[in-house]
Amino acid sequence: MEQEKVIQIRDLKVYYKQYRKNIFGKKRRHQVLKGVSIDVFEGEILGLAGESGCGKSTLAKAIVGMNKDIEGEINLKYSDTQMVFQDPYSSLNPSKKIGWLLEEPLRVDKERKWTPKERKEKVLEIMKAIGLPKEMLERYPSQLSGGQRQRVSIGVALMRSPKVIIADEPVSALDVTIQAQILQLLQQLNRDLGITILFISHDLRVIYQICNHVAIMKHGEIKEYGIPYEVYRNPQNDYTKELLTAAGIK
Amino acid sequence: MGNVILDVADLHIEFHDHDKPETVVEDFDLMLEEGEIVGIVGESGSGKSMSALAIAGLLKRHALTKKGRIMFNGTDLLTCSRKELRSYQGDEISMIFQEPMTSLNPVKKIGWQVEESLRIHHKDIDKKERKRRAIEMLTAVGMHDPEKLYEKYPHELSGGMRQRVMIAAAMIGEPRILIADEPTTALDVTIQAQIVELLRKMNREKGTAIIFISHDLSLIRQICKRVIVMQSGNIVETGYVEDIFRHPKMSYTRKLIAAIPQIDLS
Amino acid sequence: MRYILKKVLSMVLTLFVVSLCVFLAFSLIPGDPVTRMFGTEATPELIAQYREKLGFNDPLLVRYFRWFFAFLQGDMGTSYDYKMPVAGMLAEKIPITLTLAVMSFVIMVIISIPLGIYTAKYENGIIDHVISVINQIMMAVPPFFSGILLTFFFGVILKIFTPGGFVSYTKDLEGFLKYLILPAFAIALPKAAMATKLLRGSVIEEAGKDYTRTAYSRGNTTNAVLYLHVLKNAMIPVITFMGMALADMVAGSIVIEQVFGIPGVSRILLSSINNRDYPVVEAIIMGIAIMVLVINLLVDIIYRIIDPRIEVEE
Amino acid sequence: MKKFFSLFKKNKATGERNTFLLLGVIITGFILLMVIVGLFYTPYNPTKMDASAKLQGISFKHIMGTDNMGRDVFSRVMYGSRITVAIATFTILIGAGIGTIIGALTGYFGGIGDEITMRIIDAMLAFPSLLLSLVFVSLFGTGTYQVAIALGISFIPSFARIVRGEFLRCKNMDYVEVARLQGASNIRIIFVHILPNTVGVLLSSVMIGFNNAVLAEAGLSFLGIGAQPPHASLGKMLSDAQGYLFNRPSYVMSIGLVIVLMVLGFSFLGEGIKRIKN
């Protein structure tokens, strides 16, 4: 069956501007992504792997429109794409309560107006989905553990029922046992709600566990793409081999 | 059975930073044989770093009480004078830390920092000899152009290079014990593999015993023979790594092992 | 070297901008300076004649450049009130104000660095608590009031200080310096309190950093860690503060000179502000501005020496 | 209210009492009481001269004595405190208000506008604040309102700088990106998402700023270019009193003491609040 593409990227180049601090200095343009093409299919979990500075987060930000200086094509099937970030301590506003944070996406929704009652109902529904008791709505992020915060971050992303979520290293800052729980939650959302997930990680083991496809990135390029089982068993690219060896997989 | 060089028994650590005392390590035991690598694994708050800092004599920032004994060279490091403790620190017992970015002094040159232990413990070694050894050490940890590096500052190096410098500085006095507290956690996987390999090489060539602390059980499996599994201040299980992987006795150990995604490529 | 050149260039540029701002500000104030010069004797003909003669009819920018380049050559214009060159009026006063500021600076450094290190080393000890309370009080006493208190204590109670007994440095250098000690303390005390507090905090913060733990792990004594590792790092923010404090002290001298009857720049500045004698005000402001910029340049250079990271951040 | 009082009790976790807060509340409360009562009642008419009662010492009749024109010093201090507090408050309102807006906008949006604004602000900050106020005073002329405005303007840069720093810190936090992704407008992000996170820093800067304003106003008045008669502020009174240091020290000391208490109370209060947060 030919699956539908929810994200289609063709020859994407992203640049970062670097201002020199001195006013005499000139602007430089630094190419971070050097022509990336990739497809994300409806209902899958695509793993994006690579080491720090390889451009995987840049790709994510380009998809949601946070990078402006880009060339190439990004076609999105759904306009509302949400993100979950790595650090659950910085992705939740410390001065707001959990309930407020969850309601905020509905308050600023441009598609429709939500009445306070509708908002409350939606919040309760999401709290159930992410497995947190509703007493926590009255707490501040600082009163939650790392794993609970990451659940809230996922909840915030889910509020407007998006079809696509980009998760940027969502478990890297967590303890291993908590990691497993969050991965389970993501898999469950993918299975039960049919949400397509672009899963960014440096951990090839985690990617193997939950992803349908994997793309290996280095220096702003995709080095290898395929089904994890096949890529891991028979890596074509030297860098992929190096990563697998380093992770103790091969 | 080899020669036991470090014998930690019944270690208790209690913090008094607040009104209510808080036990962070309870009943910690560790026998370290000459030249072996022992792993300590656990999640955040398991007390693994605290035990390591206690062994290295570095728990002075907190108001705390320590009980038990840490026998090294016939001396109890817990009760001996600070002066005696200092005479071992950096010379017989060295330590490297998780954050290579912040563990080096930003305003001192690499060379100065690498040879610091020599300057403190071996006053008989002159400046020229110190520099020779520092450069030898920097070469041994795989740095290119050590002469130039000697004059550089930490901010000019990448994270992996800084951790190599930390290892060079820790190893320059040829210590008998090296305590490595999550030395690769802040690094990329390929760099991580290089650092682990470097530690193995140091262990092989200099015969330094290593206490390797990590949250990553699969990494421990790559480098250690024996492992201690810790949870909330207590030792849960201890034994040979392969035994524990094959027949974990405690449910927490099983949970830790289950959390490692299994990859079966056959 | 390139770093210093860059800083000098940036300083010159800032000076240029500052001078332009100062000049424009004083040129745009309502009121005609020539009318102001002649007071009641002014006749329209006389005013027109002098406007032409003094170049007031030229475009603003031409006047600015004329003023700026004359200033660089030491010609600061002519006072409206005294009808004499400003440079001459200030020549004898500037060394007095500067000496006072430098003395205050030295006192601040001598007090704050040992105290800051000591209180940080024995954090939460009795002496640390006592000094922190004294610091709070010092910071709350305005320099002019502490000047009055010092005069009262040393002049009225101990009788070892004669208020108003100022002697010029041209006559008796020793007597001049002795007279300035109390005023210098009045200026220095609040700054010393702030510097002590800042250094204490900075040392404590640095002592909590990872590299300190590394230093201990190599067998350093507490003192070795403090003096070889922590202090240099801890001084970085303190140097910035001290640079600003020196600039502040020049301005602070102006108030203290009033309290102690010291004939420095203060009196001329105040009377010219009250009388709207703008060439004098402009000259003094520009003088202090140049000094502030030079101090900043020095701080930047010291920074560069202490902190090797500076170059990278460029 | 109960919560308020519990702040002064011994902290159960650390066993320490917040002495700074207690002292700060007492001293500041006393000064504020003096200012507020002074609005309705002063023991004597602060401007009424009495040639027969010149330079009297401390007595039950005149608790701070009388000045060189026979006016009751305590009544004058009550009046002068009001002027000083009013000017300092006005200064902070201008400085913190405009400074926060400038800092928030430049910090959040960055770009060329930020570059230029920061250049100007850095240049202004490099100058001693007293000198800066002197420049503005000489531009606007001497007078109570002019001084308040001059001080206010000279306080803008430091507030702008602090708020900008906070915004720079917060703007790269992931929660701001999350808000942006949700489609929150820039104005909403600035004022609803980021600003509440800067309140702590802003509050302590206001505390410090208020003290600096009191000191700066007193300094200017002392020089005779601050608040002008009939608005005699504490600084002006102190400068008038200085001449009588030798024959009537209590006159000078009582006025100076009120200035010191005013500043001290506020700085204790600030320090105390800082400790609550820790």
Side-chain angles (χ1 to χ4, degrees):
Chain A
M1 187 186 90
E2 179 67 14
Q3 273 180 304
E4 241 186 294
K5 295 165 185 166
V6 288
I7 302 174
Q8 193 178 16
I9 294 169
R10 289 290 169 269
D11 198 26
L12 179 69
K13 297 188 176 95
V14 176
Y15 301 90
Y16 278 165
K17 252 181 275 173
Q18 286 181 329
Y19 282 104
R20 299 284 295 274
K21 270 196 181 158
N22 199 295
I23 53 164
F24 304 117
K26 43 190 174 299
K27 270 183 260 173
R28 280 185 304 184
R29 213 157 158 244
H30 176 65
Q31 195 176 17
V32 194
L33 290 190
K34 301 163 183 164
V36 168
S37 300
I38 196 168
D39 294 325
V40 185
F41 297 102
E42 180 108 51
E44 76 161 340
I45 304 183
L46 170 66
L48 199 55
E51 297 186 289
S52 51
C54 72
K56 51 192 196 300
S57 295
T58 308
L59 180 59
K61 289 184 178 173
I63 293 171
V64 296
M66 282 185 333
N67 280 323
K68 299 280 179 254
D69 193 6
I70 61 176
E71 286 167 17
E73 257 182 77
I74 302 176
N75 290 316
L76 302 176
K77 187 177 168 199
Y78 304 106
S79 59
D80 196 10
T81 304
Q82 290 299 325
M83 259 185 99
V84 176
F85 291 88
Q86 168 176 1
D87 184 2
Y89 288 86
S90 108
S91 57
L92 297 178
N93 194 334
S95 64
K96 308 287 185 201
K97 286 179 182 167
I98 303 303
W100 192 95
L101 288 167
L102 285 169
E103 280 186 38
E104 178 68 0
L106 306 183
R107 249 181 257 121
V108 297
D109 194 353
K110 292 188 185 84
E111 303 289 313
R112 55 168 289 199
K113 276 252 169 282
W114 296 74
T115 64
K117 195 162 156 266
E118 284 174 320
R119 290 206 298 257
K120 290 263 158 11
E121 279 165 7
K122 184 75 186 171
V123 165
L124 290 178
E125 180 194 323
I126 294 295
M127 284 297 271
K128 219 174 190 173
I130 57 177
L132 290 178
K134 63 175 189 286
E135 290 74 47
M136 283 193 179
L137 290 174
E138 287 304 307
R139 299 221 189 130
Y140 286 97
S142 58
Q143 298 165 303
L144 268 56
S145 71
Q148 289 169 335
R149 281 162 178 247
Q150 202 56 299
R151 282 175 194 272
V152 174
S153 294
I154 293 171
V156 171
L158 287 176
M159 283 303 287
R160 288 204 303 238
S161 319
K163 289 286 175 213
V164 185
I165 285 182
I166 299 176
D168 189 355
E169 302 260 11
V171 297
S172 307
L174 304 173
D175 272 333
V176 271
T177 48
I178 312 294
Q179 243 180 37
Q181 296 168 8
I182 298 291
L183 289 175
Q184 225 168 38
L185 174 64
L186 286 173
Q187 272 180 308
Q188 194 186 321
L189 294 173
N190 170 256
R191 204 176 45 232
D192 301 350
L193 305 173
I195 297 173
T196 309
I197 300 175
L198 177 56
F199 184 87
I200 299 172
S201 177
H202 67 278
D203 191 339
L204 289 176
R205 288 175 178 274
V206 168
I207 286 186
Y208 185 88
Q209 190 186 12
I210 70 164
C211 297
N212 305 89
H213 283 108
V214 61
I216 312 275
M217 280 188 83
K218 192 193 184 186
H219 296 326
E221 289 171 54
I222 291 184
K223 294 289 181 189
E224 194 157 358
Y225 172 84
I227 295 168
Y229 177 73
E230 273 153 22
V231 171
Y232 286 22
R233 204 162 74 132
N234 191 14
Q236 299 299 311
N237 188 281
D238 286 343
Y239 180 64
T240 315
K241 285 178 197 156
E242 196 188 333
L243 276 184
L244 287 167
T245 322
I249 296 171
K250 269 206 108 155
Chain B
M1 197 170 172
N3 217 353
V4 173
I5 51 170
L6 180 76
D7 178 7
V8 184
D10 294 330
L11 182 66
H12 278 253
I13 304 172
E14 211 176 64
F15 279 2
H16 299 279
D17 291 341
H18 302 286
D19 247 12
K20 221 172 113 204
E22 180 192 1
T23 306
V24 291
V25 175
E26 220 177 333
D27 284 329
F28 182 84
D29 296 292
L30 166 68
M31 290 260 235
L32 187 66
E33 288 170 23
E34 205 152 18
E36 76 163 339
I37 306 181
V38 167
I40 304 180
V41 73
E43 298 183 285
S44 47
S46 64
K48 57 187 194 304
S49 290
M50 286 306 150
S51 315
L53 288 171
I55 295 168
L58 293 175
L59 275 182
K60 57 186 288 189
R61 272 186 215 161
H62 302 268
L64 50 80
T65 49
K66 296 172 278 190
K67 273 186 297 193
R69 63 191 160 90
I70 302 175
M71 297 302 292
F72 174 78
N73 229 12
T75 318
D76 185 355
L77 298 183
L78 270 190
T79 52
C80 71
S81 69
R82 283 222 64 85
K83 198 173 169 220
E84 195 176 358
L85 177 63
R86 273 203 302 273
S87 74
Y88 294 123
Q89 284 176 328
D91 194 31
E92 300 278 351
I93 303 173
S94 279
M95 187 157 179
I96 57 174
F97 304 93
Q98 173 173 353
E99 278 296 333
M101 293 294 179
T102 53
S103 294
L104 289 165
N105 191 332
V107 301
K108 298 286 186 184
K109 286 182 179 164
I110 298 296
W112 190 91
Q113 302 195 49
V114 168
E115 47 180 53
E116 183 163 35
S117 303
L118 287 186
R119 215 170 29 242
I120 294 167
H121 299 288
H122 301 279
K123 299 214 162 65
D124 51 313
I125 299 177
D126 69 356
K127 213 174 150 188
K128 237 173 107 188
E129 172 65 11
R130 268 207 312 262
K131 181 169 178 181
R132 195 191 63 73
R133 288 209 201 171
I135 286 181
E136 191 183 292
M137 207 58 228
L138 285 171
T139 316
V141 296
M143 303 293 273
H144 304 290
D145 208 353
E147 293 274 352
K148 215 167 152 189
L149 188 71
Y150 189 87
E151 298 292 329
K152 281 196 173 175
Y153 290 97
H155 70 266
E156 298 170 84
L157 311 182
S158 68
M161 280 160 86
R162 286 183 214 187
Q163 199 58 295
R164 282 165 195 269
V165 168
M166 279 296 291
I167 293 174
M171 292 300 298
I172 197 164
E174 310 216 331
R176 291 164 70 188
I177 302 172
L178 175 68
I179 302 167
D181 187 5
E182 303 251 12
T184 63
T185 308
L187 305 173
D188 272 332
V189 265
T190 48
I191 313 291
Q192 178 172 323
Q194 293 164 12
I195 297 291
V196 166
E197 188 43 51
L198 177 61
L199 287 174
R200 261 209 217 107
K201 181 183 147 200
M202 290 292 159
N203 169 255
R204 208 168 45 232
E205 289 175 5
K206 315 262 179 196
T208 309
I210 298 177
I211 301 175
F212 189 92
I213 296 149
S214 178
H215 66 281
D216 187 346
L217 202 50
S218 57
L219 189 63
I220 295 266
R221 194 181 192 177
Q222 285 178 49
I223 182 169
C224 307
K225 208 165 80 183
R226 285 198 302 131
V227 66
I228 294 169
V229 182
M230 290 187 77
Q231 186 195 16
S232 47
N234 290 286
I235 292 182
V236 176
E237 195 165 349
T238 171
Y240 289 100
V241 181
E242 289 309 320
D243 288 352
I244 284 185
F245 257 92
R246 257 176 244 136
H247 315 288
K249 289 192 202 74
M250 308 302 289
S251 66
Y252 180 70
T253 319
R254 277 198 283 276
K255 211 165 124 194
L256 271 187
I257 294 171
I260 306 172
Q262 290 306 306
I263 296 181
D264 185 10
L265 294 175
S266 55
Chain C
M1 214 43 228
R2 248 187 74 216
Y3 172 83
I4 294 176
L5 202 72
K6 237 170 166 177
K7 289 286 171 196
V8 171
L9 225 72
S10 148
M11 180 190 108
V12 171
L13 193 82
T14 316
L15 178 65
F16 196 71
V17 173
V18 167
S19 66
L20 191 66
C21 291
V22 169
F23 182 82
L24 287 183
F26 285 101
S27 305
L28 297 178
I29 294 176
D32 180 46
V34 179
T35 318
R36 164 82 189 66
M37 268 169 83
F38 289 99
T40 47
E41 300 159 30
T43 62
E45 296 81 37
L46 199 65
I47 289 170
Q49 189 192 338
Y50 266 84
R51 281 192 70 87
E52 189 58 41
K53 192 175 151 197
L54 295 174
F56 277 106
N57 292 334
D58 296 333
L60 204 58
L61 270 181
V62 174
R63 273 156 54 204
Y64 164 70
F65 281 109
R66 197 186 307 138
W67 171 79
F68 184 66
F69 287 111
F71 189 90
L72 288 185
Q73 286 158 16
D75 174 10
M76 303 178 185
T78 309
S79 159
Y80 295 160
D81 285 326
Y82 300 94
K83 310 276 189 299
M84 59 191 279
V86 177
M89 285 166 65
L90 295 178
E92 279 174 40
K93 316 285 180 193
I94 289 171
I96 299 174
T97 305
L98 273 187
T99 312
L100 185 55
V102 171
M103 268 173 88
S104 322
F105 183 75
V106 172
I107 293 172
M108 170 189 75
V109 172
I110 290 175
I111 294 179
S112 63
I113 289 185
L115 269 189
I117 295 173
Y118 184 88
T119 48
K121 192 172 167 188
Y122 300 100
E123 188 193 351
N124 287 331
I126 293 173
I127 294 186
D128 178 31
H129 283 302
V130 170
I131 287 179
S132 93
V133 171
I134 294 178
N135 273 344
Q136 289 285 346
I137 295 172
M138 281 300 161
M139 283 184 262
V141 182
F144 48 86
F145 186 52
S146 58
I148 292 173
L149 289 178
L150 287 172
T151 314
F152 182 69
F153 188 71
F154 288 96
V156 179
I157 299 177
L158 298 181
K159 296 200 184 344
I160 52 170
F161 173 78
T162 327
F166 176 82
V167 275
S168 170
Y169 58 98
T170 47
K171 283 184 194 136
D172 174 8
L173 189 64
E174 201 191 320
F176 166 73
L177 291 177
K178 267 188 186 156
Y179 188 80
L180 291 188
I181 290 175
L182 281 188
F185 262 98
I187 298 171
L189 284 178
K191 296 286 175 196
M194 285 179 218
T196 305
K197 196 176 165 190
L198 183 67
L199 181 58
R200 175 187 178 275
S202 182
V203 168
I204 290 171
E205 192 191 322
E206 291 294 327
K209 287 196 175 164
D210 288 349
Y211 71 83
T212 317
R213 193 176 55 191
T214 309
Y216 278 117
S217 82
R218 294 189 189 136
N220 274 301
T221 59
T222 309
N223 275 334
V225 171
L226 181 59
Y227 292 106
L228 293 179
H229 286 268
V230 169
L231 196 56
K232 207 170 165 191
N233 284 292
M235 280 307 287
I236 292 170
V238 179
I239 286 170
T240 313
F241 171 80
M242 287 190 165
M244 286 179 75
L246 179 55
D248 259 357
M249 283 169 169
V250 177
S253 310
I254 291 170
V255 184
I256 289 300
E257 281 172 14
Q258 288 296 101
V259 179
F260 285 89
I262 299 168
V265 176
S266 161
R267 251 177 239 172
I268 300 183
L269 177 63
L270 293 177
S271 69
S272 15
I273 287 177
N274 275 324
N275 300 330
R276 310 205 146 204
D277 193 350
Y278 293 134
V280 183
V281 181
E282 276 173 326
I284 294 175
I285 288 168
M286 280 299 291
I288 298 182
I290 291 171
M291 244 185 40
V292 168
L293 291 174
V294 172
I295 292 169
N296 283 342
L297 182 69
L298 289 178
V299 168
D300 279 336
I301 293 173
I302 296 173
Y303 243 62
R304 174 73 186 75
I305 295 169
I306 291 195
D307 191 349
R309 287 165 295 188
I310 297 283
E311 218 162 24
V312 172
E313 284 164 16
E314 282 294 300
Chain D
M1 208 58 206
K2 211 170 165 187
K3 214 171 160 186
F4 176 77
F5 282 113
S6 74
L7 290 174
F8 303 108
K9 297 210 181 95
K10 266 191 183 173
N11 186 324
K12 286 210 182 75
T14 56
E16 277 172 25
R17 195 187 289 273
N18 198 336
T19 322
F20 278 112
L21 189 71
L22 187 67
L23 280 174
V25 168
I26 292 172
I27 300 175
T28 309
F30 170 73
I31 298 283
L32 279 183
L33 191 73
M34 204 169 79
V35 169
I36 292 167
V37 170
L39 287 173
F40 309 102
Y41 166 80
T42 48
Y44 293 86
N45 182 343
T47 53
K48 191 176 157 265
M49 301 177 203
D50 181 357
S52 62
K54 277 184 191 170
L55 289 176
Q56 286 182 0
I58 290 169
S59 64
F60 285 114
K61 237 174 120 190
H62 300 285
I63 56 173
M64 287 185 178
T66 60
D67 71 0
N68 55 320
M69 294 185 194
R71 294 174 292 200
D72 178 52
V73 173
F74 184 65
S75 305
R76 286 181 62 71
V77 163
M78 284 173 92
Y79 182 73
S81 307
R82 187 205 309 173
I83 302 290
T84 300
V85 168
I87 292 180
T89 310
F90 187 72
T91 301
I92 292 303
L93 282 181
I94 294 183
I98 300 179
T100 302
I101 292 171
I102 292 178
L105 294 179
T106 54
Y108 183 76
F109 289 109
I112 191 78
D114 174 46
E115 292 256 333
I116 294 172
T117 319
M118 276 307 123
R119 282 255 137 195
I120 296 170
I121 279 177
D122 277 346
M124 279 172 86
L125 277 179
F127 287 90
S129 50
L130 180 71
L131 184 77
L132 214 56
S133 333
L134 280 177
V135 172
F136 287 120
V137 169
S138 54
L139 289 176
F140 301 149
T142 49
T144 312
Y145 301 105
Q146 285 89 330
V147 164
I149 293 170
L151 281 175
I153 294 175
S154 61
F155 273 63
I156 292 174
S158 53
F159 279 102
R161 173 115 239 193
I162 290 163
V163 173
R164 176 177 177 269
E166 281 295 290
F167 266 74
L168 280 183
R169 184 178 64 79
C170 293
K171 125 180 156 176
N172 292 322
M173 300 288 249
D174 290 337
Y175 68 78
V176 175
E177 308 230 311
V178 170
R180 219 174 278 149
L181 272 181
Q182 291 163 357
S185 64
N186 284 326
I187 295 300
R188 186 173 176 87
I189 292 177
I190 291 176
F191 291 104
V192 179
H193 288 262
I194 303 182
L195 200 61
N197 287 297
T198 67
V199 163
V201 175
L202 202 57
L203 192 71
S204 68
S205 332
V206 165
M207 297 291 231
I208 297 167
F210 184 85
N211 274 348
N212 288 339
V214 169
L215 290 174
E217 192 282 326
L220 290 181
S221 299
F222 187 82
L223 293 176
I225 50 180
Q228 297 295 317
H231 303 275
S233 76
L234 293 174
K236 179 83 179 90
M237 290 165 60
L238 190 65
S239 130
D240 292 342
Q242 196 202 342
Y244 306 95
L245 177 63
F246 293 94
N247 32 8
R248 187 58 71 202
S250 63
Y251 173 24
V252 186
M253 296 301 158
S254 49
I255 297 171
L257 200 68
V258 173
I259 299 180
V260 172
L261 281 181
M262 195 182 277
V263 176
L264 201 60
F266 236 72
S267 76
F268 279 165
L269 206 58
E271 193 74 26
I273 290 175
K274 212 157 72 185
R275 292 189 186 199
I276 297 178
K277 280 192 290 187
N278 294 345

